[in-house]
Amino acid sequence: MRINVQTPNFAAKDELLVFIEKRLSKLEQFYDKIVFADVFLKVQKTSEKENKIVEVLLSIPGDDVMVKKEAKTFEEAIDEVVKTLERQLKKRKQKQKAYL
């Protein structure tokens, strides 16, 4: 799976990029047909503490999956996104097995 991280308006540290890659590459054990992941990291200019936004678009044959989460840190948001994607990918795999 190819991972493309986009960070408009700021530069992400290498540790964050490595963290993202490690977390997202785990998704392949739940669904092996992921083509690529587009990751968008955004910082909202608000007084809210939860101003870090992570959007992940997984490109999968047949249908793309998009998940967006907000948190205090990018790491927290990535963890939330990965949990949600895991659930969705497991569901998708079970649906496919039901059709076989």
Side-chain angles (χ1 to χ4, degrees):
M1 164 176 51
R2 192 173 49 80
I3 298 172
N4 176 27
V5 180
Q6 296 180 35
T7 55
N9 306 329
F10 76 98
K13 292 183 178 163
D14 287 342
E15 301 93 70
L16 180 59
L17 298 175
V18 169
F19 179 84
I20 291 169
E21 229 163 277
K22 224 184 262 181
R23 286 292 193 273
L24 287 178
S25 59
K26 282 185 179 172
L27 292 173
E28 287 184 299
Q29 55 190 52
F30 302 104
Y31 198 81
D32 58 358
K33 293 178 180 74
I34 301 169
V35 181
F36 66 84
D38 270 328
V39 182
F40 301 92
L41 305 180
K42 299 173 187 167
V43 180
Q44 250 184 345
K45 291 181 175 73
T46 63
S47 56
E48 298 290 314
K49 283 197 167 38
E50 296 200 352
N51 68 339
K52 307 289 188 299
I53 300 171
V54 173
E55 290 180 30
V56 176
L57 173 71
L58 284 188
S59 182
I60 299 171
D63 212 6
D64 291 348
V65 179
M66 176 86 169
V67 175
K68 177 180 180 180
K69 296 287 178 186
E70 290 181 36
K72 290 177 188 165
T73 67
F74 284 122
E75 289 83 356
E76 246 178 75
I78 282 288
D79 281 340
E80 290 296 312
V81 164
V82 168
K83 280 181 202 164
T84 304
L85 286 170
E86 256 179 48
R87 274 197 309 275
Q88 290 183 2
L89 292 173
K90 283 178 186 173
K91 264 188 211 165
R92 176 175 293 237
K93 203 170 190 175
Q94 284 186 325
K95 274 186 189 169
Q96 283 183 338
K97 282 182 183 171
Y99 292 126
L100 295 177

